[in-house]
């Protein structure tokens, strides 16, 4: 297959008029229509869309379902349900998953160009800047994991406020990737040796261990981590940080109940501690302490 490049673009406009393979609808759990962009898409697509939606049995928050586009130009409509903002960052991974699951489903249907509205940023109340950063993080996370998919993503903003917030998030994400320190990206990259890489990918290892250094201090619950195989840079997957726990040293960490999730559980605690000195010195361990990062593959 050709190595077709992915693309991402921030645009301003009405999503129902776009010339793309697929548009994404910010729906509700019933999938039976509503206000905002949902209402606009159903009005533009016509009765056929609603009839097909009725056969789908609704959709869970953070998940996605697909229908035909009926009277709109796009062949497909992916319906996803964003979280309702409740004043905390707890639902951030759910909003990220809206983007990731929509892209996954669309790609499985041969879609190569897709437009998203600002999911959850209207009636569902997400602060625009955070919704924008999560959108950009989720899309970039997915594109990073599927580098040769040739997917063109348009983040379609309806008004100037959304357009500015998305541009800022996108530029910030690029700056964050340049590590100039002025922006804390909502995802981070970690390199893993082949064995732990595969173990985390299969869900057999759910705790990754790092020094609690400057970089790791910036990690937060709900962040996206892109894990890359040290022996093959193009092999990577995205995961969400589900828990963070600090320990004074490796021994304390391996003596906790987290031991069973570290991928070292077939060793003795002493051997597990020893194995960490292949990566870090005792001096670094004493200076920074260590961090147990619980992750779940996206
Ligand atoms: N094209 C692009 N973006 C649009 C359009 C359009 N035609 N119309 C609105 N937007 P919202 P939510 C923007 O409320 O927050 C519905 O009733 C809008 O300016 O549509 O995920 C569903 O049925 C905002 O930036 O979706 C659910 O009950 C963004 O789309 C609930 O709202 C999302 O706003 C979902 O709430």
């Amino acid at each position: 297959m050709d190595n077709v490049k992915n693309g991402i673009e921030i645009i301003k406009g009405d999503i129902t008029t776009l010339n793309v393979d697929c548009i994404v609808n910010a729906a509700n759990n019933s999938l039976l229509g509503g206000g905002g962009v949902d209402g606009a898409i159903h009005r533009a697509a016509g009765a056929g869309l609603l009839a097909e939606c009725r056969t789908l049995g609704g959709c869970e928050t953070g998940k996605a379902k697909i229908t035909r586009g009926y009277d709109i130009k796009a062949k497909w409509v992916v319906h996803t349900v964003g979280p309702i903002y409740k004043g905390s960052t707890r639902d951030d991974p759910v909003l990220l998953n809206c983007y990731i699951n929509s892209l996954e489903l669309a790609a499985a249907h041969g879609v190569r160009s897709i437009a998203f509205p600002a999911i959850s940023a209207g009636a569902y109340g997400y602060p625009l800047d955070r919704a924008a950063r999560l959108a950009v993080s989720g899309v970039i996370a997915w594109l990073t994991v599927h580098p040769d998919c040739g997917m063109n993503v348009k983040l379609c903003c309806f008004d100037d406020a959304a357009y500015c917030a998305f541009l800022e998030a996108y530029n910030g994400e690029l700056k964050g990737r340049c590590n100039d320190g002025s922006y804390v990206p909502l995802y981070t990259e970690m390199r893993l040796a082949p064995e732990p890489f595969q173990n985390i990918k299969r869900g057999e290892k759910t705790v990754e261990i790092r020094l609690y250094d400057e970089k790791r201090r910036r990690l937060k619950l709900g962040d996206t981590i892109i894990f890359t195989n040290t022996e093959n840079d193009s092999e990577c997957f995205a995961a969400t940080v589900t828990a963070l726990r600090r320990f004074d040293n490796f021994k304390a960490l391996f003596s906790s109940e987290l031991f069973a999730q570290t991928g070292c559980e077939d060793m003795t605690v002493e051997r597990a501690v020893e194995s960490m000195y292949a990566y870090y010195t005792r001096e670094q361990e004493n200076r920074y302490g260590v961090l147990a990062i619980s992750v779940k593959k996206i």
Side-chain angles (χ1 to χ4, degrees), residues 13-17 25-30 32-41 43 80-84 95 116-126 128 156-159 162 166:
D14 176 351
I15 202 166
T16 62
T17 65
N25 182 16
N28 56 56
N29 296 118
S30 79
L32 298 180
V37 71
D38 195 5
I41 290 173
R43 274 193 302 279
T80 187
V81 184
I84 297 171
L95 186 47
F116 284 91
I119 302 165
S120 287
Y124 281 0
Y126 245 83
L128 200 47
C156 176
C157 305
F158 201 47
D159 53 28
F166 271 73

Side-chain angles (χ1 to χ4, degrees), residues 169-197:
Y170 182 60
N171 291 330
E173 189 73 36
L174 293 183
K175 257 194 242 160
R177 284 163 74 80
C178 295
N179 277 333
D180 80 344
S182 64
Y183 176 88
V184 183
L186 291 181
Y187 81 94
T188 184
E189 283 171 303
M190 283 188 194
R191 294 166 61 74
L192 286 174
E195 200 188 331
F197 178 87

Side-chain angles (χ1 to χ4, degrees), residues 40-54:
I41 290 173
H42 274 273
R43 274 193 302 279
L49 179 65
L50 183 58
E52 188 176 349
C53 283
R54 283 194 204 286

